[in-house]
Amino acid sequence: MNDQNELAAALAASAAAQLAQAQAMMAVAQALAESAEATNRLMDYVCQSEDVEADPQAGTYMSGKPR
């Protein structure tokens, strides 16, 4: 019976660790998405300050810079 209790405790700890890992991965994904948005805003600002026209279909500026 003790072996079953140890196995149940180990499985519970494993599940908790997997949940924590999934939550951490979601936080990283959110941070990456926010970073990408900030980068896009920065590129918009830089390209607009250089009077570069945008090509909305290609998702780039006419200078070739990505949007």
Side-chain angles (χ1 to χ4, degrees):
M1 196 65 166
N2 194 26
D3 288 342
Q4 288 179 343
N5 290 340
E6 289 178 13
L7 179 58
L11 288 173
S14 176
Q18 288 177 352
L19 177 61
Q21 182 181 23
Q23 290 171 335
M25 291 171 61
M26 288 172 46
V28 168
Q30 179 66 32
L32 287 172
E34 291 171 4
S35 176
E37 289 176 12
T39 300
N40 285 339
R41 286 193 307 272
L42 177 62
M43 287 304 299
D44 284 344
Y45 172 78
V46 168
C47 290
Q48 287 171 2
S49 68
E50 293 178 359
D51 292 330
V52 178
E53 294 181 26
D55 181 2
Q57 289 182 340
T60 62
Y61 287 93
M62 300 300 278
S63 65
K65 294 179 182 177
R67 280 200 92 191

